């Protein structure tokens, strides 16, 4: 019985030993590497750089007032289209007290002069009727009367302009603000009751309304100094407006700034491009946009993924499959790259299979 137990025990040890050896041997054998392959393909390669910026109207006008005062009534709201000369707002005058007092004093002085001239003209008229003065002497007093009368009317008009913004004879009222150009009202920054300051040689004055021609839009953006030497006027741009989930807008580059500007430690150059508008999508002022500037383009060319390319000094290679899981290095000539795909000028055919790196 004891002999049988010992034999069973030794057999168990032998089985364990053999199993362990087999396991370790199998584990030590590495699985063969299977390489995946791909083929060249025909595509269009576009090399481009990106400019960030916004879309703005080419012409934007701030409508200001010729007089200071309070906005009494507004005739427009943002989004309306107006013509040059259309009423925008009416201003209640708030004249300078020193100017008003001076105008009132001038009018009072002119009235006194007119009354004196009128009295003297009446006296001279009586003398003329009695043939005590000559006609030429009478005409001198009549001229003085007419001049005094004109001065009084001028002083009255001046006071009316200061108080009300218009004269009795004038059709143009300075406290009635009118559009200075055709376009769309973009903003009416001040509401009724707000005080505004007149425009003068010392300042632009308070903006009553901002308007622009929304049929003539431009892209205004910045290009890095490393890319600005690669672009030129007349190049095509594709605008991606993030707020509009539609097809990109096309534009034509028309201006590159001759001077760079510091933008967070890097030098960038301002560019402007004329935007071709869409009939389906309304392009609003100050939309953020990215512009893809097409530097070069190749249509329907043979290409490979650039990650499958081997580069040694100035030479370019790929590994072409010669038999299943067997590859040979082949030199090729490459062309334009967009950073993902690269053009194959020569050295490969569309039927070739190359190793994926």
């Amino acid at each position: 019985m004891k002999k049988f137990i010992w034999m069973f025990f030794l057999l168990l040890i032998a089985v364990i030993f053999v199993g362990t050896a087999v396991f370790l041997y199998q584990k030590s054998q590495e699985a063969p590497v299977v390489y995946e392959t791909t083929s060249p393909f025909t595509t269009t390669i576009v090399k481009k750089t990106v400019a960030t910026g916004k879309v703005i109207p080419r012409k934007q006008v701030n409508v200001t007032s010729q007089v200071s005062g309070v906005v009494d009534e507004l005739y427009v709201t943002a989004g309306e289209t107006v013509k040059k000369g259309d009423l925008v707002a009416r201003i209640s005058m708030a004249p300078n007290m020193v100017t008003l007092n001076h105008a009132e004093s001038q009018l009072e002085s002119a009235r006194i002069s007119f009354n004196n001239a009128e009295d003297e003209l009446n006296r001279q008229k009586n003398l003329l009727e009695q043939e005590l003065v000559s006609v030429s002497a009478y005409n001198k007093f009549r001229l003085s009367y007419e001049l005094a009368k004109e001065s009084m009317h001028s002083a009255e008009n001046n006071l009316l302009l200061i108080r009300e913004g218009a004269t009795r004879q004038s059709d143009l009222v300075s406290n009635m603000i009118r559009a200075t150009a055709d376009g769309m009202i973009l903003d009416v920054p001040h509401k009724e009751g707000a005080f505004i300051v007149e425009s003068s040689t010392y300042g632009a004055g308070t903006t009553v309304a901002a308007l622009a021609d929304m049929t003539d839009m431009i892209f205004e953006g910045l290009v890095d100094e490393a890319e600005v030497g690669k672009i030129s006027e007349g190049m095509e741009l594709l605008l991606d407006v993030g707020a509009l989930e539609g097809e990109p807008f096309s534009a034509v580059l028309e201006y590159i700034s001759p001077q760079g500007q510091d933008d967070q430690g890097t030098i960038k150059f301002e560019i402007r491009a004329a935007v071709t508008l869409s009939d389906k999508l309304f392009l609003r002022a100050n939309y953020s946009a990215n512009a893809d500037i097409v530097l070069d383009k190749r249509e329907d060319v043979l290409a490979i993924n650039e990650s499958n390319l081997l580069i040694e000094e100035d030479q370019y290679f790929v590994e072409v499959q010669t038999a299943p899981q067997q590859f040979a290095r082949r030199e090729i000539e490459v062309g334009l790259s967009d950073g993902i795909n690269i053009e194959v000028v020569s050295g490969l055919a569309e039927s070739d299979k190359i190793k994926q790196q």
Side-chain angles (χ1 to χ4, degrees):
M1 183 69 180
K2 291 182 179 180
K3 184 177 180 182
F4 176 77
I5 294 174
W6 276 105
M7 290 180 63
F8 176 79
F9 181 73
L10 291 174
L11 180 61
L12 179 63
I13 293 175
V15 170
I16 294 174
F17 177 79
V18 172
T20 303
V22 170
F23 172 77
L24 292 176
Y25 174 78
Q26 291 178 342
K27 188 176 180 181
S28 65
Q29 299 298 310
E30 294 185 0
V33 178
V34 178
Y35 295 101
E36 294 186 0
T37 61
T38 185
S39 297
F41 52 89
T42 301
T43 187
T44 296
I45 297 179
V46 180
K47 184 179 181 182
K48 58 189 179 182
T49 186
V50 178
T52 58
K54 58 184 178 180
V55 178
I56 60 173
R58 185 186 299 275
K59 298 176 183 178
Q60 181 170 329
V61 178
N62 291 331
V63 180
T64 58
S65 174
Q66 296 177 346
V67 295
S68 298
V70 175
V71 179
D72 188 47
E73 188 172 359
L74 291 169
Y75 300 105
V76 296
T77 58
E80 289 186 25
T81 300
V82 297
K83 296 290 185 181
K84 182 178 180 180
D86 287 351
L87 280 175
V88 173
R90 185 179 69 218
I91 308 299
S92 292
M93 303 291 290
N96 181 281
M97 295 308 297
V98 174
T99 305
L100 179 62
N101 183 64
H102 180 67
E104 289 175 341
S105 297
Q106 281 186 325
L107 177 58
E108 187 61 28
S109 177
R111 281 175 177 167
I112 293 172
S113 298
F114 171 74
N115 290 335
N116 289 336
E118 188 177 35
D119 291 342
E120 184 61 30
L121 180 64
N122 290 333
R123 192 175 70 83
Q124 292 296 322
K125 185 178 182 180
N126 290 331
L127 293 175
L128 178 64
E129 290 174 351
Q130 299 173 22
E131 297 183 354
L132 295 177
V133 295
S134 64
V135 175
S136 61
Y138 169 78
N139 287 338
K140 290 180 181 179
F141 286 99
R142 183 175 179 82
L143 177 61
S144 297
Y145 165 79
E146 294 293 342
L147 291 175
K149 182 180 179 180
E150 182 61 30
S151 295
M152 184 181 67
H153 287 326
S154 177
E156 287 177 344
N157 288 333
N158 185 49
L159 182 59
L160 284 172
L161 282 171
I162 293 173
R163 281 179 174 172
E164 302 177 13
T167 65
R168 292 189 180 92
Q169 295 81 18
S170 177
D171 293 331
L172 297 177
V173 185
S174 60
N175 69 328
M176 302 298 287
I177 313 303
R178 298 180 181 272
T180 55
D182 298 344
M184 177 179 288
I185 300 295
L186 299 182
D187 186 28
V188 183
H190 299 282
K191 307 305 178 185
E192 294 177 357
F195 182 82
I196 63 171
V197 178
E198 66 186 80
S199 58
S200 65
T201 55
Y202 303 103
T206 307
T207 298
V208 179
L211 62 89
D213 181 4
M214 300 299 287
T215 64
D216 187 8
M217 307 291 284
I218 62 172
F219 168 79
E220 189 174 76
L222 297 174
V223 174
D224 190 88
E225 63 178 331
E227 303 290 341
V228 73
K230 303 173 184 177
I231 63 177
S232 60
E233 287 85 353
M235 279 186 167
E236 178 188 358
L237 279 71
L238 294 178
L239 298 184
D240 180 19
V241 181
L244 301 177
E245 297 180 355
E247 295 182 1
F249 290 81
S250 63
V252 177
L253 187 61
E254 62 181 18
Y255 170 79
I256 305 171
S257 174
Q259 177 176 310
Q261 54 184 279
D262 193 334
D263 181 42
Q264 299 180 353
T266 61
I267 301 300
K268 295 187 177 181
F269 289 79
E270 181 185 354
I271 64 169
R272 289 196 294 268
V275 180
T276 302
L277 300 181
S278 169
D279 295 332
K280 301 177 181 178
L281 299 173
F282 177 62
L283 203 56
R284 302 178 187 273
N286 287 343
Y287 265 154
S288 297
N290 292 326
D292 291 336
I293 306 175
V294 179
L295 303 177
D296 202 351
K297 187 176 183 180
R298 300 283 193 277
E299 295 184 351
D300 300 327
V301 295
L302 193 66
I304 61 171
N305 191 293
E306 196 163 348
S307 62
N308 296 322
L309 198 63
L310 303 174
I311 305 175
E312 294 182 3
E313 297 181 352
D314 294 332
Q315 294 178 305
Y316 300 89
F317 300 89
V318 291
E319 292 185 279
V320 181
Q321 181 174 270
T322 56
Q325 293 300 302
Q326 294 185 15
F327 301 91
R329 178 176 290 195
R330 183 187 299 176
E331 183 178 358
I332 63 172
E333 183 182 353
V334 297
L336 189 67
S337 170
D338 61 7
I340 298 176
N341 299 318
I342 188 167
E343 176 189 7
V344 177
V345 177
S346 63
L348 277 180
E350 197 166 356
S351 59
D352 288 332
K353 293 187 178 298
I354 62 174
K355 182 197 291 185
Q356 290 189 356
Q357 302 296 330

